Amino acid sequence: MDLDTIREVTVARGRDDLAGLGGSTGVLAGGTFLFSEPQPNLERLIDITALGWPACTATAEGLEIAATCTLAQFADAGPGRELGGGDRWPQWPGTALFAQACRALVASHKIWHSATVGGNICLALPAGAVLAALVALDGVALVWTAEGGERRIPLREFVIGPGLTVLRQGEVLRSITLPERALLARTAFRKIALAPLGRSGALVMGRREPGGRCVLTITAATTRPVVLDFPAVPQERAVAAALAGIDPALWFDDPHGAPDWRRHVTGLLAAEAAAELRTEPGGQL
């Protein structure tokens, strides 16, 4: 869609070029959502794709994923693939959620090569599956502040409602860091939608860390990501009790599913994910 209110597009080459963000000046990365509907409040765009951020970088703590990493790059990450500079990806089973999350989106592979990880997160849509995967792996967002500093925010606290985040005016999401303990975890993935190719009605991602800790992350069914922590993989009754403790106001209501349906199917998906994580790789419970 033509954005006929835009008067200027600036390509950022360094952090100083990000001055003036906020108000009528917006961030342009992949642009797949930005150009999908009118943006009457915007008059200027700052393109951040020329900042040269590596898509994925292995660190001493785990993995850093740039906000400008495309969905195609994100989905292609994992053991056996090239990380960059000739290095190979570590054996991190948790990266299985990357491609699963991208496939859960209603988007073509053409979109995958333009849309970005940061865009999916900052849109803060309940059905944002990339956001879900990064929350499920205990991601922490690195945010560049308007004053030239930075702050780190647990991704589970980043989204506060549909289309709402904790970003302040002039701030930019720089990257997301995933801890190695989460990347080493076994994962489970469950999704349901009212139509075969429809937007997700409920999405549950689980992880079981080597030490036994288990986390179930719920999105699509709720207005923001909901994370349920357990010291070990829970039995079905414990899963049901945890779900019953979710604030009823968090269950999402839109044409892709009513709150009572979302709550019910989330219970089924969460129980299935926990059962999968209780099963040892050899098939024993």
Side-chain angles (χ1 to χ4, degrees):
M1 171 174 290
D2 292 335
L3 301 183
D4 56 13
T5 61
I6 302 298
R7 300 290 177 258
E8 179 186 2
V9 177
T10 300
V11 178
R13 305 292 180 182
R15 185 165 180 176
D16 290 345
D17 294 329
L18 301 178
L21 277 175
S24 62
T25 300
V27 173
L28 169 62
T32 54
F33 172 79
L34 189 69
F35 288 96
S36 70
E37 60 181 45
Q39 308 290 341
N41 59 309
L42 295 180
E43 297 178 359
R44 179 171 176 255
L45 298 175
I46 298 180
D47 186 341
I48 64 172
T49 58
L51 287 169
W53 298 337
C56 296
T57 305
T59 69
E61 294 76 29
L63 178 67
E64 182 178 32
I65 303 168
T68 49
C69 174
T70 66
L71 299 193
Q73 292 169 318
F74 184 67
D76 195 48
R81 306 297 179 89
E82 186 172 325
L83 179 59
D87 295 331
R88 308 297 289 182
W89 276 88
Q91 293 299 312
W92 287 333
T95 58
L97 290 180
F98 294 1
Q100 290 173 319
C102 291
R103 288 194 293 268
L105 296 170
V106 183
S108 68
H109 281 266
K110 182 177 180 180
I111 295 294
W112 282 23
H113 285 275
S114 298
T116 62
V117 167
N120 191 265
I121 293 170
C122 292
L123 275 176
L125 298 178
V130 171
L131 165 67
L134 295 172
V135 171
L137 293 172
D138 227 7
V140 175
L142 172 61
V143 174
W144 281 357
T145 66
E147 298 78 22
E150 60 183 43
R151 59 189 183 119
R152 294 184 181 273
I153 307 165
L155 210 54
R156 64 171 68 185
E157 301 171 8
F158 190 86
V159 173
I160 55 178
L164 300 173
T165 73
V166 296
L167 284 178
R168 302 164 186 160
Q169 181 165 309
E171 290 188 330
V172 175
L173 175 62
R174 165 62 181 87
S175 63
I176 302 89
T177 300
L178 304 178
E180 188 170 37
R181 58 173 171 75
L183 291 164
L184 290 170
R186 288 181 55 206
T187 62
F189 178 95
R190 295 292 188 279
K191 173 199 169 182
I192 193 169
L194 287 176
L197 297 178
R199 179 173 293 180
S200 299
L203 194 60
V204 176
M205 299 186 190
R207 81 171 192 265
R208 175 185 173 181
E209 296 180 2
R213 179 190 178 204
C214 181
V215 179
L216 297 177
T217 299
I218 300 163
T219 58
T222 48
T223 58
R224 59 171 175 78
V226 173
V227 182
L228 306 176
D229 283 283
F230 304 91
V233 183
Q235 297 293 326
E236 188 169 340
R237 183 175 298 180
V239 172
L243 289 171
I246 295 175
D247 183 348
L250 288 179
W251 295 106
F252 193 46
D253 185 10
D254 77 347
H256 301 283
D260 57 348
W261 175 78
R262 293 181 193 265
R263 183 171 57 247
H264 173 70
V265 296
T266 297
L268 299 178
L269 299 182
E272 287 182 6
E276 179 180 336
L277 294 176
R278 281 198 304 273
T279 304
E280 298 298 334
Q284 298 296 317
L285 291 177

